[in-house]
Amino acid sequence: MRYLTSGESHGPQLTTIIEGVPAGLPLQADDINENLARRQKGHGRGRRMQIEKDRVNIVGGVRHGTTLGSPIALVVENKDWKHWTKIMGIEPLEPGEEDEIKRKISRPRPGHADLNGGMKYGHRDLRNVLERSSARETTVRVAAGAVAQKLLNQLGINVVGHVLEIGGIKAEEPNYKSIQELQEVTEESPVRCFDSEASQEMMDAIDNAKKKGDSIGGVVEVVVEGMPAGIGSYVHYDRKLDAKIAMAIMSINAFKGVEFGLGFEMARKPGSEVHDEIAWNDEQGYYRKTNRLGGFEGGMTTGMPLHIKGVMKPIPTLYKPLKSVDIESKETFEASIERSDSCAVPSASVVAEAVVSWELAKALTEQFDSDRFERLKELIEQHRQYSKEF
Ligand code: EPS
């Protein structure tokens, strides 16, 4: 499976073309819309989210509610486009219009792609960079991830993204009885956090940051249950599934680090307190007595739940200005902006859920014959049985 995305933040639409989804998977727009709506929620989003009501239009690869095996094309319109038709127009400008628009951006924002992206592509209007580097693009990554998630759900694999930390407020270790409970409680929290007390404190921290014209980051976690053991590979560096997931998490806008299981804490513990003892019983087959490694050994799944964390830096678009240099005059200025989110960590946990789902579905479809969904399902069932008795 692979996908590409296209589209600018204030352009007409976002598009993704997804290849390699098995034929025969039930898929409807609502499967995707539900996740688009989840991404848009969250305390701390700015005014743009009141403008957008993201809905997908499936324009290829699906017939009568079932995938065809052909590329799936998904489109999400930008409602804000109507305010930007001139500035972001597709047609060349008429003589004199350039001056009329007067929205050329020559002031790179610290922490954004603006300056480096301008240098790379030779854009002296930095809007050409920021329009694409914007996290608006994660909308269609969530759409592609929703297709992957549908496939996983049909195979009995559940993926949940939630928030562990915002602006230094840490949630208690979530003590859910089932992944469904984690999902339900998280869904009710305006910051997608299982711990209701911490949720309130996180919201206060976001409001406080907003008042000060600042932004705050945090830590998200993706939990996965139901992944069979032995998915991924140890034989080549670029086939290791944990490495692919690390890349996927790091590709989310503003993400700066990733951990599996105990993560960086492993540096402070002896091996006997890090590795998980192996056990076997009739009902489960092989399992680990603990899950400190977060569901991966040797680049492959162990069959235990996956625990993947990612850290998001505070959004760099600040009302509180930081100093930067104008690329036309080379003079120092204080960067200021019109609108921004003060915290997008809750939304980012939905994006993390989507990109992890994508990598898992991709790994399964690569490891097993996957032209037909029913065949893939059968093979995975056989593999589960085989691994249990191995
Ligand atoms: C973003 C800036 C804001 C966010 C946007 C990401 O948009 P605008 O520049 O239009 O105010 O709202 O996020 C989204 C549009 C979205 O769908 O998540 C940025 O600079 O990354």
Side-chain angles (χ1 to χ4, degrees):
M1 281 166 55
R2 60 180 174 152
Y3 73 103
L4 284 177
T5 74
S6 169
E8 276 64 45
S9 179
H10 303 98
Q13 67 179 45
L14 297 155
T15 309
T16 180
I17 298 187
I18 308 172
E19 203 226 320
V21 176
L25 176 75
L27 184 68
Q28 296 188 29
D30 277 350
D31 296 321
I32 299 167
N33 286 333
E34 211 179 289
N35 285 315
L36 296 182
R38 291 169 69 230
R39 193 199 69 95
Q40 285 203 278
K41 287 198 287 193
H43 196 76
R45 299 306 303 271
R47 286 202 308 277
R48 176 75 186 274
M49 284 305 95
Q50 288 152 23
I51 300 172
E52 303 298 342
K53 293 282 167 284
D54 295 334
R55 308 279 299 171
V56 75
N57 195 7
I58 305 178
V59 293
V62 178
R63 184 170 181 228
H64 301 155
T66 308
T67 59
L68 297 173
S70 52
I72 298 172
L74 308 177
V75 166
V76 178
E77 275 179 29
N78 286 322
K79 296 262 180 289
D80 208 11
W81 158 246
K82 60 175 182 285
H83 305 122
W84 294 79
T85 46
K86 255 277 155 60
I87 297 166
M88 290 302 293
I90 309 294
E91 300 301 322
L93 291 173
E94 298 293 334
E97 270 188 335
E98 198 162 338
D99 292 342
E100 191 191 318
I101 288 171
K102 280 201 179 107
R103 291 288 286 265
K104 227 175 183 175
I105 296 179
S106 61
R107 300 179 150 200
R109 299 159 302 169
H112 274 274
D114 302 351
L115 182 58
N116 312 321
M119 286 174 184
K120 175 170 164 63
Y121 287 105
H123 293 311
R124 294 206 64 82
D125 182 354
L126 300 177
R127 172 160 301 287
N128 291 341
V129 179
L130 70 90
E131 282 289 337
R132 179 64 186 163
S133 65
S134 163
R136 177 76 186 141
E137 187 259 354
T138 61
T139 307
V140 272
R141 281 209 265 166
V142 167
V147 176
Q149 213 168 346
K150 178 78 186 191
L151 181 143
L152 297 174
N153 290 344
Q154 300 278 310
L155 298 171
I157 301 162
N158 293 304
V159 188
V160 176
H162 68 119
V163 169
L164 286 175
E165 191 174 332
I166 286 181
I169 312 289
K170 281 190 189 175
E172 290 284 327
E173 190 70 35
N175 62 340
Y176 46 89
K177 287 179 200 70
S178 66
I179 193 161
Q180 286 74 20
E181 188 192 351
L182 173 66
Q183 165 114 50
E184 281 163 23
V185 175
T186 298
E187 229 52 64
E188 293 305 310
S189 158
V191 283
R192 297 191 54 78
C193 177
F194 188 80
D195 177 342
S196 58
E197 245 171 70
S199 283
Q200 190 52 55
E201 286 176 44
M202 287 173 186
M203 287 192 282
D204 295 345
I206 293 168
D207 294 342
N208 205 16
K210 192 173 179 178
K211 246 185 260 152
K212 288 199 249 161
D214 222 326
S215 60
I216 48 179
V219 176
V220 305
E221 184 186 47
V222 180
V223 181
V224 185
E225 280 189 17
M227 258 314 263
I231 308 302
S233 181
Y234 64 97
V235 305
H236 279 298
Y237 68 92
D238 59 349
R239 294 193 197 283
K240 294 182 184 216
L241 184 52
D242 48 1
K244 291 182 188 190
I245 289 174
M247 191 284 280
I249 294 282
M250 286 295 291
S251 78
I252 305 171
N253 309 49
F255 272 63
K256 289 289 147 196
V258 57
E259 293 185 329
F260 293 84
L262 290 182
F264 280 33
E265 195 52 39
M266 292 182 206
R268 291 158 218 133
K269 290 186 182 293
S272 55
E273 288 174 31
V274 169
H275 298 287
D276 303 303
E277 289 185 320
I278 300 175
W280 188 92
N281 68 28
D282 257 349
E283 199 198 328
Q284 277 175 276
Y286 295 94
Y287 64 95
R288 306 295 185 277
K289 291 186 186 166
T290 50
N291 189 20
R292 299 182 287 220
L293 291 180
F296 287 96
E297 286 169 356
M300 297 161 295
T301 51
T302 61
M304 294 294 286
L306 310 183
H307 286 269
I308 304 149
K309 285 182 200 155
V311 60
M312 185 184 197
K313 70 179 178 181
I315 286 174
T317 307
L318 304 174
Y319 289 93
K320 187 178 189 166
L322 289 180
K323 287 199 170 61
S324 176
V325 173
D326 189 304
I327 61 167
E328 293 303 337
S329 65
K330 307 288 187 288
E331 276 168 15
T332 298
F333 72 96
E334 293 203 331
S336 68
I337 49 111
E338 288 161 33
R339 70 178 180 201
S340 171
D341 305 319
S342 37
C343 178
V345 176
S347 299
S349 72
V350 178
V351 181
E353 183 183 300
V355 300
V356 168
S357 296
W358 178 267
E359 291 305 324
L360 299 178
K362 183 169 187 277
L364 290 169
T365 54
E366 279 170 3
Q367 198 155 323
F368 302 97
D369 178 7
S370 61
D371 282 345
R372 286 189 297 122
F373 181 66
E374 277 313 309
R375 177 72 183 140
L376 175 68
K377 203 169 165 179
E378 255 169 44
L379 289 171
I380 288 177
E381 244 351 280
Q382 280 172 21
H383 175 80
R384 282 192 171 117
Q385 202 53 35
Y386 167 83
S387 322
K388 195 169 157 184
E389 290 159 10
F390 178 78

